[in-house]
Amino acid sequence: MSSELLTGDSGRETARLARRNQLARAAQWFAALEADPYARVLRTGTGTPDAAEEAVRALGPLHRSTLADTWVTADRAVAEEVLAHPAFDAPGPAATTPAGGPPAFRSAVLTLDRASVRPLAALTGFGGPLLWAEDAGRLEKRTATWARRLLADLGGRFDLAEDYARRLTSPVLAEQLGLPEAAHEPFRRLLSDCRHTLDGLLCPQGHAAERAGEAAETALAGLLAEALYRPTADTLRAARITALGAAEPTAVLVSNAVRLLLGEPGGWRRLAEAPDRAGEAVARTLRTAPPVRLESRAVRSAVTLAGTALPAGARVTLLVAAVNRDPLAAAAAPPFGLCADLHFGLSAHLVEPIARAALRTLAETLPDLRADGDPVTRLRSPVLRAPASQPVAAGPVS
């Protein structure tokens, strides 16, 4: 990229975008150094953000993060009001960065408001015109088939996140969208390049990753236009949103569930002895290590939230994992999970069945699975806290 930066208009534009990206990330680091707990959540690298999330809770039901220009909550009642109130009807990423100007790259796909979700959600429902499976049970059976095929090709040591969770999710989604087999591998590669998309909504990614994601979103549109059966503008849009909304969160959910079980004495053995309890493990993971930890919404019209007047254009971020830990929430409250009012309205119903089948099949096939090194969290991943690597092993201990 160095030669590109030195010559021509495109090179100057690339340099400008890269510089703006660096400044936006630097602004988040500066805010964290100023002891802003939400900025500390955004800045978190491989460590856990739990302490910073609890620091937000200690500041009240709705905290103003001045340097990050957003309101933040760890309160379940406030979070539920945000998802239910018509004023919060737009995705929350800002139109400008703290460093000034628009973000260097922000997904052009994940931009739904609630009115746009409804007709597209009808397309991506089970038994609808886009998905192959008639119900969640059928989706789980097909996922298990793909999982057994994939596990048969893995050796005694592999990367749980990269070699299993991510490689499983892409063919399952490709099949559900009716893509021909020849399109499966390019579909997988494009989804891999889009893995930073959700984190990039709130945290500037490395410039190379952002450029790869932007190119992949464009190429994905072209692939789907060629591979979908009788595509329309709506089915193309719905398929792109579904793919981006399901692929990486599902892989993260599977990886997190395995990590929690392997970290608990006897946890994996208990699941291997009763694989049908995979659903319980997935539900627990959605509560304690959700695959999407930050959800942001913009205020469409002035509203009062938690006794605070918010003007149109204000932003509110929900700390999903902290919301699940809210000590004032009802003990029987279900996991806050994926917020299905915007883009996850097209994909949330796919994530859990795929994860259940992936976990159950893994336990059935590799009852002696064990960690083979420390898992590593991807940098600049405050939204997903996605694994960069998660080494595991099965079979005799060498």
Side-chain angles (χ1 to χ4, degrees), residues 34-376:
E34 291 294 304
D36 183 316
Y38 175 59
R40 286 166 51 205
V41 171
L42 294 177
R43 191 191 67 176
T44 298
T46 58
T48 174
D50 290 16
E53 292 171 346
E54 291 307 314
V56 171
R57 188 193 314 281
L59 294 172
L62 191 63
H63 163 63
R64 171 68 170 161
S65 176
T66 305
L67 293 174
D69 190 27
T70 190
W71 296 85
V72 193
T73 186
D75 185 285
R76 180 158 188 141
V78 174
E80 289 177 344
E81 184 175 354
V82 168
L83 296 189
H85 200 290
F88 300 94
D89 189 30
T96 60
T97 69
F105 169 65
R106 188 177 67 183
S107 173
V109 175
L110 304 179
T111 57
L112 291 177
D113 58 20
R114 291 168 182 166
S116 302
V117 167
R118 286 188 287 272
L120 295 181
L123 298 176
T124 61
F126 289 121
L130 265 179
L131 296 188
W132 178 85
E134 297 176 354
D135 51 41
R138 183 67 62 87
L139 174 59
E140 290 193 42
K141 289 180 181 178
R142 289 304 302 162
T143 300
T145 298
W146 284 104
R148 286 190 290 269
R149 184 183 306 176
L150 179 58
L151 288 168
D153 292 333
L154 294 178
R157 286 181 166 83
F158 57 95
D159 188 314
L160 188 282
E162 197 66 32
D163 299 332
Y164 182 66
R166 291 188 176 103
R167 280 199 167 265
L168 172 62
T169 302
S170 63
V172 170
L173 292 174
E175 181 182 70
Q176 289 305 308
L177 294 172
L179 305 187
E181 190 170 343
H184 283 205
E185 181 57 23
F187 182 72
R188 183 197 67 79
R189 290 196 302 267
L190 292 174
L191 288 183
S192 179
D193 283 344
C194 290
R195 68 177 63 187
H196 302 272
T197 297
L198 285 161
D199 282 307
L201 294 177
L202 292 176
C203 174
Q205 301 296 292
H207 187 64
E210 291 197 337
R211 294 191 71 197
E214 185 174 21
E217 282 198 4
T218 301
L220 182 63
L223 175 69
L224 293 173
E226 293 180 359
L228 284 179
Y229 179 69
R230 294 182 179 177
T232 66
D234 280 350
T235 57
L236 278 172
R237 189 183 188 199
R240 292 169 71 195
I241 295 167
T242 300
L244 291 187
E248 190 68 359
T250 304
V252 173
L253 179 57
V254 172
S255 300
N256 287 355
V258 173
R259 175 176 54 80
L260 291 177
L261 287 164
L262 292 180
E264 175 187 332
W268 186 257
R269 172 57 59 184
R270 286 192 291 273
L271 179 63
E273 292 171 351
D276 286 341
R277 299 186 67 179
E280 297 174 22
V282 168
R284 185 183 69 165
T285 305
L286 283 169
R287 182 182 300 279
T288 60
V292 176
R293 298 179 69 99
L294 303 178
E295 281 278 4
S296 190
R297 297 291 182 271
V299 178
R300 280 283 180 89
S301 56
V303 65
T304 297
L305 181 67
T308 301
L310 303 182
R315 290 177 295 139
V316 177
T317 299
L318 315 180
L319 304 182
V320 175
V323 165
N324 279 328
R325 298 193 301 267
D326 187 347
L328 299 180
F336 200 65
L338 297 173
C339 301
D341 58 325
L342 296 181
H343 40 265
F344 288 125
L346 278 64
S347 58
H349 63 300
L350 305 179
V351 172
E352 290 186 53
I354 296 173
R356 285 195 298 267
L359 191 60
R360 182 173 58 248
T361 308
L362 187 64
E364 291 170 345
T365 308
L366 300 176
D368 54 356
L369 190 75
R370 61 188 181 275
D372 193 38
D374 293 331
V376 177

Side-chain angles (χ1 to χ4, degrees), residues 1-12 14:
M1 189 173 74
S2 58
S3 60
E4 182 184 33
L5 289 173
L6 293 174
T7 61
D9 291 342
S10 63
R12 283 190 288 272
T14 296

